[in-house]
Amino acid sequence: MKYKINHTKVKTYFSSSLIKSWSLFSMFFVLFSSLTFSQEISSSIDSTSIKIGEQITFKVEVETDSTNLVVFPEGQTFMPLEVIESYKVDTTKKDAKWILIKKYGLTQFDSGTYTIPKQKILIGNKSYFTDSLKVVVNTIEVDTTKQGLYEIKPLMDVDKSASDWWKTLLIILVFVAVVAALLYWFIWRKKPLTEAEEIALLPPYERAKLALKKLDESGYLENSELKEYYSELTLAIRRYIDEKVYDRALESTTDELISRLNLLKEGNQIDLSKETLKNLESIFKRADLVKFAKSAPDIELAKLDRNTIDLEIDHVKEVLPEPTEEEKLLDQQYKEAQARKKKQRKIVFTSLAAVMLLVAVYVGFGIKYGFGYVTDTLLGHDTKELLEGQWVRSEYGVPPIDISTPEVLKRDNPPTPQDIKAKLNITSFKYGTLQEDLYINLSTTTFQNQGQDPEKKEVDLTQVAAKSINDLEKQGVTDIFVKQEKFVTPNGAEGLKTFGTLKIPELNSNDFKDGHYVLLQFVSDNKDVLQQILITWADADRYAEQISERIINSIELKKATQ
């Protein structure tokens, strides 16, 4: 039986099949291209020619999705060039993607042409490589005709400069001593009394007698200064009467004063004789004539008037009633009240001076050391005391993690289900709680029977970090921003550093505080031990940040046999 082949149909079928295959290939190529080139990586250097020891900056720029974790190389991976500084990753957002820029400071101390090797960048679970770049290192030419060559100077021992804290203390002590001396001299020192103050402290009778004595020594009569003489003479007895008999004697005229004394006599308030009143009236009127009418009595009469006033002062004293006990008590209370007021004024002035001294010392130290530091020193600050206290260097777990901390970490093994214990053995040590300003957690996870497995499973630190971040979220932490990079300890152990910002729930409150965290993870050489160090601290606590940096820089991993 024969079949007739329709060549037109065969040709049409072949053509349509070819078109479909080409379309599928094109779709696969586009899909592959989108998957392959969704990550953009570029590298550059700021100079291709340097002098010996001069620094160049190697920059890697990665544009990737915000969900991807990016790990940049760390350590001496740029050989034969040396890494002298690894800068922090600079992160910016562009639409739905992140642009990460990582810079390295490189140098070389031998001349020649060098090639910066390709650098491995981990994005998610895939590896990418930068371009290799050439750098020329030039020698520094020295003209020996202009610049002489000299022998290398021998090493010299230099004494370590001593701290100048004693100078600050000496300045404070001198300042305090000066202020104390001024307070003593002007406030607390018992000053010697002036002549006027000594006279004012005398009883009225003695002051009146002293005034007459000074009048005799004045020389007024010898110089015929009768106006001044009679003014002082009548003032002596008027002041005495003003203080002991009538409190307006100094401002009263002669007639008013004599009239008041007669009224007091008639009222039996003071038993002055008529002769005393007559003598006083006569002398007061004669003094008025001398002062206002320029009368000039005889010198002998003036001396007689002086003696009469002396006698009349005695007569006034004799007729004065004795003060009652109540009056004496009131007088004593008045004196005590005056003494208390004087003492209170001294205390107030001293207190103000002390406050001003403290303010001056605070401002001085604040200008030198910072007001926040001085305030925390005076009032006390928990993390500041931890930072400046005696640190402890200890080993934790097996294999041991050698680390320096402000205080010894306490064992805090979490409860582990029985089915998990057969596979994992977890030991944990911590300081503080997650809600406090500083929290340190160190854990060692040993995978049981991992060493007997001929094909050991790789521990993906990126996935372990993601699980740790998830555990933090379960404890109430929110807004965790994640950045990752390679981390190398001082003794060469390599691991993964996950760090960033977060919001920590405050203790006994619904509020949150801004904070930072660093999660360091290491896997042992035989892949059966996972070591983790987690540190969180409050954003506003600068001392906690210094503590975290000091802890991280002290980490060293040791093998179990060390």
Side-chain angles (χ1 to χ4, degrees), residues 399-452:
I401 300 176
D402 194 346
I403 187 172
S404 294
T405 54
E407 293 187 4
V408 177
L409 305 183
K410 296 181 180 180
R411 183 180 292 271
D412 181 51
N413 291 341
T416 307
Q418 292 296 330
D419 57 336
I420 300 297
K421 283 185 178 180
K423 300 178 181 180
L424 304 175
N425 180 25
I426 303 175
T427 57
S428 177
F429 303 86
K430 74 172 186 177
Y431 168 81
T433 62
L434 188 60
Q435 290 76 19
E436 296 180 10
D437 289 345
L438 178 65
Y439 173 64
I440 307 169
N441 184 283
L442 186 150
S443 65
T444 302
T445 304
T446 304
F447 302 98
Q448 305 292 346
N449 302 322
Q450 179 81 346
Q452 300 175 4

Side-chain angles (χ1 to χ4, degrees), residues 10-28:
V10 171
K11 184 178 180 180
T12 302
Y13 174 79
F14 178 78
S15 299
S16 61
S17 300
L18 182 61
I19 292 172
K20 290 180 180 179
S21 300
W22 174 254
S23 299
L24 290 173
F25 175 78
S26 299
M27 292 176 63
F28 174 79

Side-chain angles (χ1 to χ4, degrees), residues 157 238 387 504 506:
D157 294 332
R238 275 180 177 269
L387 177 63
I504 305 171
E506 294 188 358

